[in-house]
Amino acid sequence: SAAKALFGAGNAAEIPAVELSASDFAEGEGEKLDILSLIVKAGLAKSRSEARRAVEQGGVSVNDEKVTDIRMSFAAEGLVIKKGKKNFKKIVVA
């Protein structure tokens, strides 16, 4: 059902969500969090090095845009992160 919500005519509320605090984004530069930390905090990778490999191999996208630069940073609003074809999380800031 989560894949249907992401790829088809399903309900967007069914996408698995990860709740991060505003202080997580305050750690980064300019209220943004770098892509490697974001992947790890979302639970899509166990370590920053695993996240780095995924980005360098072209297996990560944020809001359907492929991420190829490990130095990219993202603000807290409306993020859906995909790692590979079936691993994805929606970031919710509390």
Side-chain angles (χ1 to χ4, degrees):
S1 66
K4 186 184 277 188
L6 187 64
F7 301 114
N11 185 358
E14 295 177 10
I15 295 174
V18 172
E19 194 170 294
L20 298 179
S21 67
S23 65
D24 288 328
F25 286 90
E27 291 175 5
E29 187 175 319
E31 301 294 318
K32 292 185 174 186
L33 193 59
D34 67 283
I35 186 64
L36 301 181
S37 297
L38 199 56
I39 292 169
V40 172
K41 288 179 187 252
L44 293 172
K46 293 179 183 177
S47 65
R48 287 178 59 88
S49 61
E50 182 182 334
R52 177 188 298 264
R53 282 191 297 275
V55 170
E56 288 173 344
Q57 293 171 1
V60 175
S61 64
V62 175
N63 295 339
D64 291 328
E65 291 186 29
K66 188 174 274 195
V67 176
T68 56
D69 185 5
I70 59 171
R71 295 177 299 233
M72 283 188 80
S73 295
F74 295 93
E77 64 255 349
L79 299 175
V80 175
I81 303 172
K82 281 196 285 186
K83 179 182 165 230
K85 289 187 178 184
K86 297 182 181 180
N87 298 319
F88 51 90
K89 298 282 174 111
K90 178 171 48 174
I91 303 298
V92 177
V93 179

